[in-house]
Amino acid sequence: MSLLPMSTPPRATSPANGFARGSKSAVSKLKVLMRRGINFKQMDFELAAWQITYLFFSPRRVYRNVYYHKQTKNTWARDDPALVLLQCGCLAVAGLLWGSIYAHYSFLKICQTILSMIFVDFLLVGILVATLLWAISNRFFTHSSHTHATDQSVEWAYSFDVHVNSFFPLFIDLYLAQLLLAPVLTRSNWVCLFFGNTLYLAAFAQYLYVTYLGYNALPFLIRSELLLFPIVVLFAGWVVSLLGFNVAKGVLGLYIR
C-alpha cells in the first residue's frame, strides 16, 4: 500500500503570477466588451436604465444580484457594456450643455468638453482607480487561503464596473446639479462657498460609499470597510476649506477656460 498522497495540495499563487493572470483576464474582458460594444442588439439597455436609476437612490439593490450573476455567468463582472455606453451618453449631453453655456457655442470647445468628460473624467480616471483598487483588494482584502485562488480574487473588470456604478451619483452632483448652480456657487461669499464645498463633499462621499458597497458585495473579501476611511479625510478637508477656499470656483476656473 503506497504511503504517497494520491493528490497534490493546491499550489500557492505568487503575487507576480496573480498579477500577470489578472492582467491577461482584464485584457480578454476588455476585448469581449469592445466586441459587444458595437453590437447594440446584444445589450440590455432596459436593465442598464434600471441600474442607473437605483445607483443614485438605492445603490445596495444594484449589488444584490452580484452573487447570482457569478453563479449563472461564472464571472463577477458584467458582460454587457450597456451601462458604460449609457453613462457616456449622459456625459455627452452634459458636455454639450457645459460647452454651450460656458464656451459661447464654440463648436471646437464643445467637442473638447464632451471628449474630456468621457475619455478623461470617466474612462481614463476610471481605469486608473479600478487598477489601483483591484491591486489593493487582491493584496490586502482577500482571505489568506490559497484554495480556489481563481474564485477568491477580484477581477479587474469587476473593479471597473464598481467605478462605473460609483461614478453616476457623482455625475448627478457635479455634472448636472453643479451646472445649474454654478453661477451661485462661484460667488464670493461664505454661504455660496459652504454650499459649493458641501456639494463636492457629498459627491465624492457617495462615490466612496458606492465603491465600498461594490467590494463589500464580494463574499471572499475582508476589511472592505477600510475603503470608507477616505471619507474621514474628505470631511477634514471640507472643514478646512470652509476657512476660505471655494472648491467649485477653483475647479471650474481650471476646467472651463
Side-chain angles (χ1 to χ4, degrees):
M1 181 176 182
S2 175
L3 298 178
L4 296 177
M6 299 302 294
S7 61
T8 58
R11 297 174 61 184
T13 303
S14 67
N17 291 337
F19 182 85
R21 186 176 62 248
S23 300
K24 292 179 181 179
S25 176
V27 172
S28 62
K29 179 64 68 174
L30 284 175
K31 289 180 179 179
V32 172
L33 291 178
M34 290 176 65
R35 285 198 300 267
R36 296 198 63 179
I38 59 177
N39 192 341
F40 289 93
K41 293 182 179 180
Q42 294 185 5
M43 299 184 205
D44 191 347
F45 284 100
E46 183 178 352
L47 176 61
W50 177 87
Q51 291 177 333
I52 210 170
T53 301
Y54 280 99
L55 283 172
F56 189 80
F57 296 104
S58 182
R60 285 183 179 273
R61 295 191 62 174
V62 177
Y63 289 112
R64 285 179 183 173
N65 295 326
V66 168
Y67 188 75
Y68 174 76
H69 185 272
K70 170 64 176 177
Q71 299 302 312
T72 57
K73 302 284 188 175
N74 196 31
T75 177
W76 296 106
R78 296 187 185 98
D79 55 357
D80 187 348
L83 187 58
V84 175
L85 294 182
L86 195 59
Q87 291 213 47
C88 287
C90 292
L91 283 166
V93 174
L96 177 63
L97 294 175
W98 278 97
S100 300
I101 295 173
Y102 294 101
H104 306 289
Y105 296 95
S106 169
F107 178 75
L108 183 61
K109 184 64 177 178
I110 291 174
C111 292
Q112 180 183 348
T113 303
I114 293 174
L115 293 176
S116 178
M117 286 183 175
I118 294 176
F119 291 100
V120 178
D121 298 358
F122 181 46
L123 296 177
L124 179 59
V125 172
I127 290 172
L128 295 176
V129 171
T131 302
L132 176 64
L133 292 181
W134 166 71
I136 290 175
S137 59
N138 281 324
R139 177 65 179 85
F140 299 106
F141 295 163
T142 54
H143 290 292
S144 58
S145 174
H146 295 296
T147 59
H148 309 292
T150 301
D151 291 336
Q152 294 188 354
S153 63
V154 180
E155 303 167 1
W156 183 91
Y158 181 81
S159 292
F160 186 75
D161 283 347
V162 172
H163 160 74
V164 173
N165 293 341
S166 303
F167 188 86
F168 186 72
L170 184 144
F171 166 80
I172 295 295
D173 291 336
L174 299 187
Y175 291 81
L176 294 185
Q178 186 176 210
L179 173 65
L180 301 176
L181 300 174
V184 176
L185 300 180
T186 54
R187 290 181 180 178
S188 299
N189 62 70
W190 190 85
V191 175
C192 295
L193 179 149
F194 172 82
F195 282 107
N197 292 6
T198 303
L199 180 65
Y200 273 81
L201 172 66
F204 285 101
Q206 283 179 291
Y207 182 93
L208 291 170
Y209 175 67
V210 179
T211 298
Y212 156 74
L213 291 180
Y215 287 92
N216 189 59
L218 298 180
F220 55 86
L221 290 187
I222 58 176
R223 299 187 296 270
S224 57
E225 63 274 4
L226 293 177
L227 294 172
L228 294 174
F229 177 75
I231 295 180
V232 178
V233 179
L234 280 176
F235 183 78
W238 173 78
V239 172
V240 173
S241 71
L242 295 181
L243 298 178
F245 179 70
N246 190 321
V247 176
K249 188 174 183 179
V251 170
L252 294 180
L254 293 173
Y255 199 86
I256 301 176
R257 297 178 180 178

